[in-house]
Amino acid sequence: MIGFLAFSLSRAWQGFWRNVAMSLAATATMTLMLLLLAGFFIVQNGLLAALTFVEQKVEVEADLRPTALDADVDALELRIEALPEVLEVDYVSKEEALRRFREARAAQGEEDLTRYLDSNPLHASLQVKLRDPADFGTVMDALRADPAVERVKNITDLVGRVVTVTDFLRTAGLAILAVIGAIVLFIIINTIRLAVVGRAEEIEVMRLVGASDAFIRWPFVFEGALVGLLGATLTLATIAAVADPLGAFMYDFFRVLPIRVGAIARDVSLLVLGAGLGLGVVGAWISVRTYLIR
Amino acid sequence: MIGFLAFSLSRAWQGFWRNVAMSLAATATMTLMLLLLAGFFIVQNGLLAALTFVEQKVEVEADLRPTALDADVDALELRIEALPEVLEVDYVSKEEALRRFREARAAQGEEDLTRYLDSNPLHASLQVKLRDPADFGTVMDALRADPAVERVKNITDLVGRVVTVTDFLRTAGLAILAVIGAIVLFIIINTIRLAVVGRAEEIEVMRLVGASDAFIRWPFVFEGALVGLLGATLTLATIAAVADPLGAFMYDFFRVLPIRVGAIARDVSLLVLGAGLGLGVVGAWISVRTYLIR
Amino acid sequence: MTLEAVTDRPADALPVARLGEPGSWGATERRDLLVLNDVTKRYPNGREALRDVDLVVPEGDFVFLVGPSGAGKSTLMKLIIRDELATSGEVILDGENLARLPRRKVPHVRRKIGTVFQDFKLLPTKTVRENVAFALEVTGTPRGRIGPAVERALRHVGLTGQAAQFPRQLSGGEQQRTAIARALVHDPRLVIADEPTGNLDPLISWEIIQLLLRINELGVTVLMATHDADVVTALRKRVVALEEGRIIRDEIGGGYHRRG
Amino acid sequence: MTLEAVTDRPADALPVARLGEPGSWGATERRDLLVLNDVTKRYPNGREALRDVDLVVPEGDFVFLVGPSGAGKSTLMKLIIRDELATSGEVILDGENLARLPRRKVPHVRRKIGTVFQDFKLLPTKTVRENVAFALEVTGTPRGRIGPAVERALRHVGLTGQAAQFPRQLSGGEQQRTAIARALVHDPRLVIADEPTGNLDPLISWEIIQLLLRINELGVTVLMATHDADVVTALRKRVVALEEGRIIRDEIGGGYHRRG
Ligand SMILES: Nc1ncnc2c1ncn2[C@@H]1O[C@H](COP(=O)(O)OP(=O)(O)OP(=O)(O)O)[C@@H](O)[C@H]1O
Ligand SMILES: Nc1ncnc2c1ncn2[C@@H]1O[C@H](COP(=O)(O)OP(=O)(O)OP(=O)(O)O)[C@@H](O)[C@H]1O
Ligand SMILES: [Mg+2]
Ligand SMILES: [Mg+2]
C-alpha cells in the first residue's frame, strides 16, 4: 500500500514535468480561478462585516416619563440589560438628548430650531442595542410594559427595511459565490479534462499492457492534486503580495470600508487550499474515469 | 481568395465536429467565461445607474430673505435656471418648507418639535438640481451674489463625500471589470491552447506534407471563431432566459435597485459577441502560432 | 526469469528451470491455451474483419499467422487481448471466456500475454527503459527485481545504448525492438507478435525470431503475424493463413504461400 | 497526372507525356537533384546519426538506401525534407541550400517531394480519401481535379474500398498504402519512401515496387529505404549502404548485403 502510494506519487511528479506545457497551462487556469474565488470570498466577507455594522446601529429607544423615579429607571435598565436579546443599554438624559439633537442639526447644516424654545421639550430615554435587529419586538414589549416608560419609538418599519436589505445582500452574496464556485469547478474540471484528452492514447496503451484501473488512476489523481496545490500556493502568494498595498490604497481612497484580509486570512487559506486540492483531485478523477470506463 | 476562404471555413466546420469532445469543452468554457463577463458588465451598469441617481439628489439650497420681493425671486429663478450647470430650479415657500419638515420628522418617528412654536421659523428657498454635483461651486456663488438670498446651505462636505464615493465605485468597478476581462481572456486562450496541443501532431504532419502556414492557420482560426460565436450565442440565450424572471424576483425582493437588462441589451450583446469572437480568433491564432514558429 | 534462462544457461538445462512454475506443461500433457469458436468480428462501420473463425492453439505451440494486408490478422490479435470483443462466437483464453470476463479481471488476463503491437504502442512520455519496466510494474513486481530484468530484456534486443531515450528519439526499428522487449520482459504465458520484424533489417529480424523460438522451447506459446515469407517457409512451424477474414489454411510445416 | 500516365496509357507514350513539363529531363542531360556535402547530424541528446555523409543523386535516379536498424536512413530522409537541419555540411535540393532557405519557402520545397514516412504520419481526423487529397490541396490544385486524381491513386494502392475510413479503422498495411498514395498523388519530382513495404505482404509489396519503378521511368527520382533484401538484390539498381551513420557502400547494381 505504502509502496503503491510512493510509486503513484513519483509517477505523478514525473507526469507533471514530462507534460510540462499542459501542466503549467492547467496550473495557470487553476490559479486564476482560485484568485477569482478568493476575491469574491473576501469581498463577500467585507460586505457581511459592513452589514453587521449596519445592523448594530438598529436601536430600540424608549422615552421615559419625566415623572419616573431614578430608582425605577435604574431597575428597568438592569432588567432590560439582563434580556438575552440585548447587547447594551444606554441611559440618555434630557440635556444629553438636546445636545445630541443640536449637534445632529448642525452637522446636517440645518437651522437650529431649538433656539426658539424656552424650555427643553425632549425626554430622557433608554437606548437599547440589540444582538439581532430581528428581535426588536420582544425588547419593545418589555419596555412598553414598564410604568416608567412613556412611549417606545416605533422602529418596525426601519427594522423591516434593514433586515430585508441585509438578508437580500447575504443571500445574493451567497448565491453569487455559489455560481462563481460552480463556474470555477466546471472550468477547472474542463481544463484538466482537456489536459487528459491529450493523454488518452497513453491511458489506452497502459490498459492494453495490463495496467489495472487503480494503477492508471492514482498517478493522474496525484498529478491533479499537485496542480491544485501549486495553484493554491500561487494564489495565496498573490493575495499576500497584493493584500497590504491594496488595503492601504483602499483605506486612503475610501475610509469607510477597507477590506480587511488579515482578519479572515485563515478562512481564505483554507478555502483556497481546499478548493485547489479538491478540484484538482475531483477533476483528475472524473477525467480519467471517462477513459477507464470504456 | 474566396475559394481559400470557403475551403478554410468548410475545414473549420469539419475540424469542430471531428474533435467534438474538445470543441464542446472549449465552447462550454467560453460560454461560462462570457457569462461571468456579461454578469459583471450588467452589475456594473446597474451600479453606475444607481450612482447617477444618487448624484442627481445633490441639490444646492438657498434660503431667501423674508423681505425679498416676488419679482426679484422670479428673476433670480430664471437667471439660475439659465446656467448651463443647472438642471432644474424649484421654489419652496415657507409653508411648504414647514410641511416637509413635519412630514420628515413624522416619517422618522421622531417628535414634532414645531408644535411648540408660535410662528413658522422657516424660510422660503430655491432648490437647484445640478447636472453634475462637482459643479456646485459656480451655482453656489451665483446664488450667494444675489441680494434676495439670505444664505446658501453649505454642501461642500456632502458633495465631496458623494463625489469620492461615486468616483471610487466607478474606478473600482472598471478595475474589477478589467481584471475579470483579463482572467477571461487568459482562460479562454489557455483552453483553446490546450485543445490545440491535442492536435499538435496533426499540425506537424500538415507541415511535413508541404502545407503553408496560412493553409494550416485559417481553418484553426475559423474554428476558434466558431467556438466564440457559439459560446456568445449560448451566453446571450442564457441571459435572455434568465433576465426576466430574475429581474422580477429582484424587483419583488428589493424594490430599490432592480437590475435593468433591457436598457443595456444592445451593449451586452455587443460585448458578448465581440468578446466571444475576438477571444476565439485571438486564442486560436496564438495557439497555432506556437506550433508554426518552430 | 525466462529470458535469463533462454540465453545465459546451457540449452539442456532449460526445461528443468521451468518445471516447478505454474503454467509449465510436459510435452505429453498439452492443454488448449487459446480457443476460438466460430468467431465473427464486424466493426461498427459494418466491415467484417473476421468470419466464422475456428482456431485451437495448445499451450506451447508456435503459430505463424499469415495473409494479405487487411485479411484480419491484427483483428484476431485484438480479440485475444480483449481490446475488441467478438461480434459472435467465443474467444476462450486459458479457460476463460473473454466476453464474460468482468471488467476488473481484464488486466489480469492481459498480464499473462506479451503483445508486440503492429504500431508498437509505446508510452511517449516514458523512456525506453521505463516503457519496458512498465510491463513488470503493472504486475506488482518488487522494485529490486525490475531493474535487472529490464536490462536483460534490452540486451536481448540490442537496445542497451538507447535505454534513456524517449520513443520519438528512436529509429523505427529501435521502437519495434522496445516493443518486443516489453512483450517479453514479464515472462508471459503467451506471446502475440504482430509483424514484429516489419521495421528490422534481416540480421536483427533473424535474431528476434531465434529469441522467440527459444522462449517457445521453454513452453511459452507464440502467435506471430508476419509477411516474411523466408522465415515462415524456413521454420516449418504451424501456419494459419487468413484471407478476407476466413481461415483458408492451417497446417504444420507449411510455407508462406499456398501450395496450390 | 503522372499516375494516370503510368498505368492508363501505353508504355511507349509515357516519356512524351512529360516532355513539356518543368523538371523533366532527357536521359542525356541529367542534373543533380540532391547533393549532400559532408553532412553530419547530431541530435540534441548528443547521438550522432549521420557522419560525414557525401551523396549525389542525379535527377531520374532510383536509389536504395539500406543498412541495419539505427544506421541513419530515416535521419537522412528527414534532412532532405528539412524536417531536421544538418549539424554541419550542406544539403542541396534542386539547387537550393536547405539551411539557408527562408521559413516561408519551406512548404514549396516539400511540395516537390512525395514522402512515405516510416510511421505513416496520417492525419487522424481525416479519412483515407481526405488524407490523400490533402497533398493536392496544399499545392492549390483546383477542386475539380483533386477528386479524380485521388481516386486514381487509391486504385493503384488497392484502397478504393477503404476510402471513407479513418486511419484508426485501417489495418497496418492499409495505413501504409494510404501513405504511399498520398506521397504519389501530387506528381512529385522526388519520391522518398522510408520502408514503404514494411507492413505489406509480398504480393502487394511487389506491386508497390513496380509502381515506383514505372514512376521512375517517367523521370521521377526515387529514394527508398528498405530492409527487403530480395527486392534490392533482384532489381540491380543503385544501392547506398549506411552503417552507424557513415556511407560504407555506394554502387550500381549491388545487392542488399555486402559483397565481402
Ligand atoms: N476499427 C476498425 N473499424 C473499421 N474497420 C476496421 C477497423 N480495424 C480494422 N478494420 C478493417 O478490418 C480489416 C482487417 O484489418 P486487420 O487490421 O485485422 O488486417 P491485418 O490482417 O492486420 O492487415 P495488415 O497486414 O495490413 O496489418 C481491414 O480491411 C480494415 O480496414
Ligand atoms: N530525435 C532523435 N533524438 C535523438 N536520437 C535520435 C533521434 N532520432 C533518431 N535518433 C537516433 O539516431 C540513430 C539513427 O536513427 P534513424 O531513425 O535515422 O535510423 P534508421 O536507419 O532509420 O533505422 P531503422 O531502420 O530502425 O528505421 C538511432 O540510433 C536513433 O536512436
Ligand atoms: Mg495488421
Ligand atoms: Mg528509420
Side-chain angles (χ1 to χ4, degrees), chain C residues 18-36:
Chain C
R18 277 184 68 92
L19 256 183
E21 292 180 46
S24 72
W25 304 83
T28 50
E29 180 198 358
R30 299 217 308 173
R31 202 168 72 132
D32 292 338
L33 183 65
L34 174 70
V35 178
L36 277 83

Side-chain angles (χ1 to χ4, degrees), chain B residues 82-157:
Chain B
L83 289 177
E85 293 89 355
V86 170
L87 193 71
E88 199 184 325
V89 180
D90 260 343
Y91 173 75
V92 179
S93 67
K94 259 172 94 108
E95 294 71 34
E96 175 70 13
L98 186 62
R99 205 182 56 69
R100 287 196 190 170
F101 181 75
R102 284 185 174 149
E103 260 177 20
R105 292 293 286 181
Q108 285 173 36
E110 298 202 13
E111 198 165 357
D112 181 11
L113 290 167
T114 55
R115 67 187 152 125
Y116 300 99
L117 300 172
D118 312 317
S119 68
N120 183 348
L122 298 175
H123 292 250
S125 63
L126 284 183
Q127 314 235 325
V128 184
K129 286 209 173 96
L130 303 175
R131 285 184 202 284
D132 180 345
D135 295 334
F136 75 105
T138 333
V139 179
M140 272 174 84
D141 290 348
L143 285 167
R144 237 181 235 134
D146 197 281
V149 172
E150 185 172 317
R151 68 187 189 100
V152 178
K153 192 154 64 172
N154 189 354
I155 56 163
T156 315
D157 247 34

